[in-house]
Amino acid sequence: MKLTHHFNGLMALILCSAGYAQAQPPAPAPDGQTMRWGAVLISLPKYPGADRQQLFAAPLIEARFGEHFFASTLQGLGADWRPADGLSLSAALVLDSHWRRRKDLPAAWASLDEVKFAPALRLAAQWQVGRFSVELSSSSRLGTLSRGAAGSKNKKGGHSVQLDASYGLLATPGLALAAGVSVEAMDARLGQALFGVDASQAASSKLRVHSVRAGVASAGVFAQAQVPLDSDWTFSARMGLNSLRGDAGNSPLVQKRRQPTLAMSFSRAF
């Protein structure tokens, strides 16, 4: 049994009722269509750098049409290809997973911009050889990046790249376990929106001015499991711990550099 890990569509999953707990769309059935549905429970920081967690529950809905096309609350709307054994390429329109809601911030930081939900183009390549799996993905925001306290739209765009590498510790018909490392890099526009403080924000919030350059924003480890409950139902889980690095980790907005995440899903394939 192959254990997959496409956790980068976390916010797409939450909002489309988007690497954490999910199953890859199943291989096409003889008639060219497959379906999967279920539910996901996710615990993650209230915002990047927060010292408080929040809990989300969301439906899991996936459909596959023919050999290449899929629609999913986890992976968005797109297509994938398998040009060689062990290699998978995909392109999808998703909701970007980077966000920061003003209501989740401390009251003294009310002047900070919100990082709004926006569509994004996600490109990914996954390579699996034996028990080793490597996935490289990029996310390019297509909508507004941040919104000011008065409701004015500020920046647009923002780009991130994530690398996940894992090793399968166990692969049996009843249980698959894997562990790995994850690294995320951001461009200066996205990093500044999430972790930066400009002069006007510093004056109103009493925070120090902080500029964020492009580079690695976080690195961490994760463990994941997949358990078939019967011929149709599957339980999946992923637990991760990321540490904010570089300019992101040194931001005055960061209350806790180590950011834990936990996600669990139950799903049924048709």
Side-chain angles (χ1 to χ4, degrees):
M1 178 176 60
K2 179 182 176 182
L3 182 66
T4 60
H5 59 284
H6 297 280
F7 293 90
N8 299 314
L10 172 60
M11 290 301 103
L13 166 62
I14 294 173
L15 294 178
C16 291
S17 309
Y20 278 57
Q22 72 183 71
Q24 189 178 26
D31 62 1
Q33 296 186 12
T34 58
M35 289 286 296
R36 178 181 295 275
W37 62 268
V40 182
L41 189 66
I42 305 167
S43 174
L44 73 164
K46 280 185 170 290
Y47 57 89
D51 60 356
R52 298 169 295 155
Q53 296 287 111
Q54 58 188 341
L55 192 66
F56 288 98
L60 185 162
I61 304 171
E62 295 179 343
R64 191 170 187 95
F65 311 97
E67 185 178 357
H68 300 293
F69 301 99
F70 59 85
S72 168
T73 54
L74 299 170
Q75 295 182 339
L77 179 64
D80 58 13
W81 302 266
R82 292 170 176 79
D85 187 32
L87 178 63
S88 176
L89 307 176
S90 64
L93 185 65
V94 301
L95 288 177
D96 189 64
S97 60
H98 302 97
W99 65 327
R100 186 178 68 196
R101 300 182 299 182
R102 188 171 291 111
K103 68 178 184 178
D104 294 329
L105 295 169
W109 298 356
S111 62
L112 297 178
D113 291 354
E114 283 190 302
V115 177
K116 306 298 291 184
F117 297 118
L121 175 64
R122 182 175 184 268
L123 305 176
Q126 185 180 27
W127 182 45
Q128 183 154 355
V129 178
R131 294 192 176 190
F132 288 96
S133 179
V134 177
E135 181 179 23
L136 179 65
S137 63
S138 70
S139 177
S140 301
R141 290 175 65 101
L142 305 177
T144 299
L145 173 56
S146 61
R147 188 181 299 272
S152 60
K153 294 182 180 180
N154 294 331
K155 300 175 181 177
K156 293 183 179 293
H159 185 80
S160 64
V161 177
Q162 182 159 332
L163 174 68
D164 284 5
S166 66
Y167 178 77
L169 303 173
L170 179 67
T172 69
L175 175 64
L177 298 174
V181 296
S182 181
V183 178
E184 182 179 27
M186 299 179 181
D187 66 3
R189 187 180 295 269
L190 179 58
Q192 182 68 23
L194 290 170
F195 301 103
V197 182
D198 62 26
S200 62
Q201 293 169 344
S204 58
S205 65
K206 309 304 179 185
L207 295 165
R208 60 180 170 85
V209 174
H210 183 70
S211 297
V212 180
R213 297 163 295 183
V216 173
S218 69
V221 296
F222 62 86
Q224 54 195 32
Q226 188 165 310
V227 182
L229 302 178
D230 58 25
S231 59
D232 297 319
W233 286 90
T234 300
F235 169 76
S236 300
R238 170 160 165 157
M239 178 173 60
L241 181 64
N242 289 330
S243 177
L244 296 174
R245 316 291 293 180
D247 289 341
N250 294 326
S251 169
L253 302 178
V254 173
Q255 297 174 316
K256 186 177 181 180
R257 294 186 65 164
R258 293 180 179 175
Q259 302 277 278
T261 56
L262 174 65
M264 297 179 291
S265 73
F266 291 91
S267 63
R268 184 180 190 275
F270 295 89

